[in-house]
Amino acid sequence: MTRIHHRHRVHQFINMVASHSHCLKLATLSFIICHLSFSPAGAQTLKDAYRDYWYTGVSVNQWQVEADPTGDNKHDVTGQVSNDQTTDWAIIEKNFNWVVAENCMKCEVIHPQEGVYDFTLADQFVNKAKAAGMKVLGHCLIWHSQCAPWFHFDKDGKPVSPEVLKKRMREHITTIVSHFKGRVDAWDVVNEAFEDDGTPRKSLFYQILGTDYIPLAFQYAHEADPNVQLYYNDFSMNKPTKVEGVANFFRPLIRQGLPVTAIGMQGHMILEDNVDNAVIKQYDHSIQTIAALGVPTFFSELDLSVLPNPYGFSGANVSDRFAYRPEMDPFKNGLTKKKEEEINQFWVDFYKMLISHRDDIIRVNFWCLNDGNSWRNDFPIKGRTDYATLFDRQSKPKAVIEKLINLVK
């Protein structure tokens, strides 16, 4: 990102004004200086405060894109104040400079049947973001979950041959990337291809093609748009076995010239797991591990569950679920002051760690705008009330944001 000499611009402005009005009083000049927004010191958003460090992004749902105030949205998330999300887009524009669609660009939505594409929601999202001057991440091209049911099977319901799957992958990727060429700035090419122990996930893609489907996906995407950024993305990347497994897989491919722009870490964190800053220390190690590959990293889906962690659960595999129990939902009526202080300290410590790696991070992206529409309310236990984002259920910024801004003033 281009660095701007903010102080120089302020002095230029003052000199210009003074040369045209010798009567200008010092008090007036002071007022002008205090209200200029050139410097991060006066920043009111993370986007502005960290603009010389990394981009700041957020995921967007279809109701925020459509700005539909009716109750027909049926965005069924525990604790949500209202289905009306008409004001959310303005908040997104003010606070973020990158956006990613939560669901409308995934295979089951955009390519529901062979030869049939539905770009309706995705086009609305991309067009609205570009009109607002924001950068867009396409999420995602190849993922075992939320993949259209037809993708891996023939008309008789049997798994397709490797050659057929390669053909389908190429056509799928080429069509989608070409459709958004020049409008989408980056793609999550492959999502969640590894287990927490660092071994390849035994998905249908893997069962038919082995790990070859991963470099093939990057090849097809690069051929469709040689200028777009291409990412790998995964959860549990704080775990040493996971990040090292991913790094070991991509290291020779990157050396051979595979067009991998960056490797993303989702960052679905759990406060309870951060005993003695364990989670933060793990991510510190993970950033170093990825940077050693010669590519930057980014946090793609940041959130922080503050609720009890059932059975030491970790990860973000959307098929994993546990039964509801009241004792696992202790903050239904609000956070205690002690818990709120613990949460705030976590975010401050986490951002301090990020700042120490500013040269290796290209984006910090949060998953869901506010606590009300966060998926963490229903994962991995449906019906709980979580506080996983930096905005409350009315989409108002939490006090911790000011603490994070103050770190770079």
Side-chain angles (χ1 to χ4, degrees), residues 204-261:
L204 287 169
F205 287 107
Y206 177 87
Q207 291 174 37
I208 297 172
L209 287 172
T211 57
D212 286 351
Y213 80 92
I214 300 173
L216 284 173
F218 279 88
Q219 174 191 325
Y220 300 154
H222 183 67
E223 289 171 353
D225 186 350
N227 297 314
V228 75
Q229 296 180 24
L230 304 178
Y231 304 150
Y232 176 74
N233 185 49
D234 215 326
F235 62 76
S236 293
M237 291 287 277
N238 58 306
K239 295 181 179 296
T241 52
K242 177 80 168 254
V243 72
E244 288 163 14
V246 171
N248 290 338
F249 177 80
F250 277 99
R251 185 176 293 107
L253 295 173
I254 291 170
R255 287 175 178 169
Q256 293 164 20
L258 189 72
V260 180
T261 309

Side-chain angles (χ1 to χ4, degrees), residues 6-20 24 28-29 31-33 35-36 38:
H6 303 293
R7 184 173 298 176
H8 177 66
R9 288 174 58 184
V10 171
H11 286 304
Q12 278 187 324
F13 181 81
I14 292 170
N15 292 335
M16 178 192 72
V17 174
S19 67
H20 285 81
L24 195 60
T28 307
L29 274 173
F31 176 87
I32 293 172
I33 294 170
H35 286 78
L36 284 172
F38 295 149

Side-chain angles (χ1 to χ4, degrees), residues 282-303:
Q282 287 175 329
Y283 275 119
D284 179 80
H285 166 264
S286 295
I287 293 171
Q288 295 178 60
T289 301
I290 294 172
L293 298 176
V295 298
T297 189
F298 59 96
F299 283 85
S300 57
E301 304 181 17
L302 265 184
D303 53 28

Side-chain angles (χ1 to χ4, degrees), residues 147-328:
C147 187
W150 64 270
F151 209 99
H152 300 94
F153 301 98
D154 62 20
K155 58 182 177 59
D156 298 320
K158 297 178 180 179
V160 296
S161 69
E163 290 309 310
V164 169
L165 185 55
K166 288 180 188 178
K167 182 179 178 181
R168 288 182 177 181
M169 282 180 56
R170 183 189 287 274
E171 191 269 341
H172 171 79
I173 293 171
T174 301
T175 300
I176 295 172
V177 174
S178 298
H179 179 85
F180 292 106
K181 189 174 183 179
R183 295 188 292 155
V184 165
D185 300 277
W187 285 98
D188 283 334
V189 179
V190 178
N191 198 44
E192 301 176 3
F194 290 85
E195 302 285 1
D196 284 4
D197 64 1
T199 61
R201 181 181 297 278
K202 308 307 185 288
S203 66
L204 287 169
F205 287 107
Y206 177 87
Q207 291 174 37
I208 297 172
L209 287 172
T211 57
D212 286 351
Y213 80 92
I214 300 173
L216 284 173
F218 279 88
Q219 174 191 325
Y220 300 154
H222 183 67
E223 289 171 353
D225 186 350
N227 297 314
V228 75
Q229 296 180 24
L230 304 178
Y231 304 150
Y232 176 74
N233 185 49
D234 215 326
F235 62 76
S236 293
M237 291 287 277
N238 58 306
K239 295 181 179 296
T241 52
K242 177 80 168 254
V243 72
E244 288 163 14
V246 171
N248 290 338
F249 177 80
F250 277 99
R251 185 176 293 107
L253 295 173
I254 291 170
R255 287 175 178 169
Q256 293 164 20
L258 189 72
V260 180
T261 309
I263 293 177
M265 303 185 288
Q266 290 182 13
H268 295 299
M269 302 179 291
I270 299 174
L271 185 62
E272 191 176 273
D273 294 347
N274 194 48
V275 178
D276 295 327
N277 271 357
V279 172
I280 295 174
K281 291 174 183 176
Q282 287 175 329
Y283 275 119
D284 179 80
H285 166 264
S286 295
I287 293 171
Q288 295 178 60
T289 301
I290 294 172
L293 298 176
V295 298
T297 189
F298 59 96
F299 283 85
S300 57
E301 304 181 17
L302 265 184
D303 53 28
L304 176 68
S305 176
V306 307
L307 299 176
N309 182 11
Y311 313 111
F313 173 80
S314 65
N317 187 358
V318 294
S319 64
D320 292 335
R321 289 288 189 271
F322 298 89
Y324 179 87
R325 301 198 314 273
E327 62 269 26
M328 303 301 285

Side-chain angles (χ1 to χ4, degrees), residues 62 101-112 139-152 172 191-192 205 301 316-319 321 367 375:
Q62 68 196 60
E102 290 177 20
N103 289 296
C104 72
M105 300 182 85
K106 291 173 180 174
C107 181
E108 66 180 4
V109 177
I110 211 167
H111 194 183
H139 176 77
C140 50
L141 295 173
I142 297 296
W143 185 30
H144 67 278
S145 184
Q146 293 183 255
C147 187
W150 64 270
F151 209 99
H152 300 94
H172 171 79
N191 198 44
E192 301 176 3
F205 287 107
E301 304 181 17
N317 187 358
V318 294
S319 64
R321 289 288 189 271
W367 201 252
W375 75 304

